[in-house]
Short mmCIF file of all heavy atoms in Angstrom, two decimals:
data_model
loop_
_atom_site.label_atom_id
_atom_site.label_comp_id
_atom_site.label_asym_id
_atom_site.label_seq_id
_atom_site.Cartn_x
_atom_site.Cartn_y
_atom_site.Cartn_z
N HIS A 47 266.79 88.51 32.02
CA HIS A 47 267.52 87.68 31.16
C HIS A 47 267.23 87.95 29.69
O HIS A 47 268.12 87.98 28.82
CB HIS A 47 267.34 86.19 31.51
CG HIS A 47 268.34 85.30 30.93
ND1 HIS A 47 268.10 84.53 29.88
CD2 HIS A 47 269.61 85.09 31.30
CE1 HIS A 47 269.20 83.81 29.56
NE2 HIS A 47 270.16 84.16 30.40
N ILE A 48 265.93 88.14 29.37
CA ILE A 48 265.53 88.48 28.03
C ILE A 48 266.18 89.85 27.56
O ILE A 48 266.70 89.95 26.46
CB ILE A 48 263.99 88.54 27.86
CG1 ILE A 48 263.39 87.15 28.11
CG2 ILE A 48 263.59 89.12 26.53
CD1 ILE A 48 263.72 86.06 27.08
N VAL A 49 266.10 90.82 28.47
CA VAL A 49 266.73 92.11 28.17
C VAL A 49 268.23 91.96 27.86
O VAL A 49 268.77 92.53 26.90
CB VAL A 49 266.48 93.13 29.27
CG1 VAL A 49 267.39 94.34 29.17
CG2 VAL A 49 265.03 93.54 29.31
N GLN A 50 268.95 91.18 28.71
CA GLN A 50 270.39 91.03 28.52
C GLN A 50 270.69 90.40 27.12
O GLN A 50 271.67 90.69 26.52
CB GLN A 50 270.98 90.15 29.68
CG GLN A 50 270.91 90.86 31.01
CD GLN A 50 271.47 92.24 31.04
OE1 GLN A 50 272.48 92.55 30.44
NE2 GLN A 50 270.80 93.16 31.73
N ARG A 51 269.79 89.44 26.72
CA ARG A 51 270.00 88.82 25.43
C ARG A 51 269.60 89.69 24.23
O ARG A 51 270.21 89.60 23.17
CB ARG A 51 269.24 87.49 25.39
CG ARG A 51 269.90 86.47 26.35
CD ARG A 51 269.03 85.22 26.50
NE ARG A 51 268.64 84.62 25.30
CZ ARG A 51 267.53 83.88 25.13
NH1 ARG A 51 266.71 83.76 26.11
NH2 ARG A 51 267.23 83.36 23.98
N ALA A 52 268.64 90.56 24.48
CA ALA A 52 268.23 91.46 23.37
C ALA A 52 269.08 92.67 23.18
O ALA A 52 269.22 93.18 22.11
CB ALA A 52 266.76 91.92 23.69
N LEU A 53 269.71 93.10 24.29
CA LEU A 53 270.51 94.33 24.29
C LEU A 53 271.55 94.41 23.15
O LEU A 53 271.63 95.48 22.51
CB LEU A 53 271.15 94.55 25.63
CG LEU A 53 271.48 95.92 26.08
CD1 LEU A 53 270.32 96.92 25.90
CD2 LEU A 53 271.92 95.95 27.53
N PRO A 54 272.32 93.38 22.90
CA PRO A 54 273.33 93.49 21.85
C PRO A 54 272.74 93.57 20.43
O PRO A 54 273.40 93.97 19.49
CB PRO A 54 274.16 92.19 21.94
CG PRO A 54 273.78 91.56 23.28
CD PRO A 54 272.45 92.11 23.67
N LEU A 55 271.47 93.29 20.30
CA LEU A 55 270.83 93.30 18.97
C LEU A 55 270.30 94.69 18.56
O LEU A 55 269.97 94.89 17.40
CB LEU A 55 269.64 92.30 19.00
CG LEU A 55 269.93 90.89 19.35
CD1 LEU A 55 268.66 90.09 19.41
CD2 LEU A 55 270.94 90.25 18.40
N PHE A 56 270.25 95.65 19.51
CA PHE A 56 269.64 96.90 19.24
C PHE A 56 270.51 98.09 19.69
O PHE A 56 271.32 97.93 20.62
CB PHE A 56 268.30 97.05 19.95
CG PHE A 56 267.30 96.00 19.50
CD1 PHE A 56 267.15 94.74 20.13
CD2 PHE A 56 266.58 96.19 18.33
CE1 PHE A 56 266.29 93.83 19.71
CE2 PHE A 56 265.68 95.28 17.89
CZ PHE A 56 265.54 94.03 18.56
N ASP A 57 270.32 99.18 19.01
CA ASP A 57 271.04 100.41 19.37
C ASP A 57 270.29 101.04 20.52
O ASP A 57 270.90 101.82 21.32
CB ASP A 57 271.09 101.40 18.22
CG ASP A 57 271.82 100.82 17.03
OD1 ASP A 57 273.00 100.43 17.21
OD2 ASP A 57 271.18 100.72 15.95
N ARG A 58 269.00 100.83 20.60
CA ARG A 58 268.13 101.42 21.63
C ARG A 58 267.10 100.38 22.01
O ARG A 58 266.49 99.76 21.14
CB ARG A 58 267.44 102.68 21.05
CG ARG A 58 266.65 103.45 22.01
CD ARG A 58 266.23 104.78 21.41
NE ARG A 58 265.13 104.63 20.47
CZ ARG A 58 263.92 105.20 20.65
NH1 ARG A 58 263.69 106.01 21.65
NH2 ARG A 58 262.97 105.03 19.75
#
Side-chain angles (χ1 to χ4, degrees):
H47 197 256
I48 295 295
V49 166
Q50 296 306 321
R51 291 171 52 209
L53 205 50
L55 305 175
F56 298 95
D57 301 302
R58 186 170 77 119

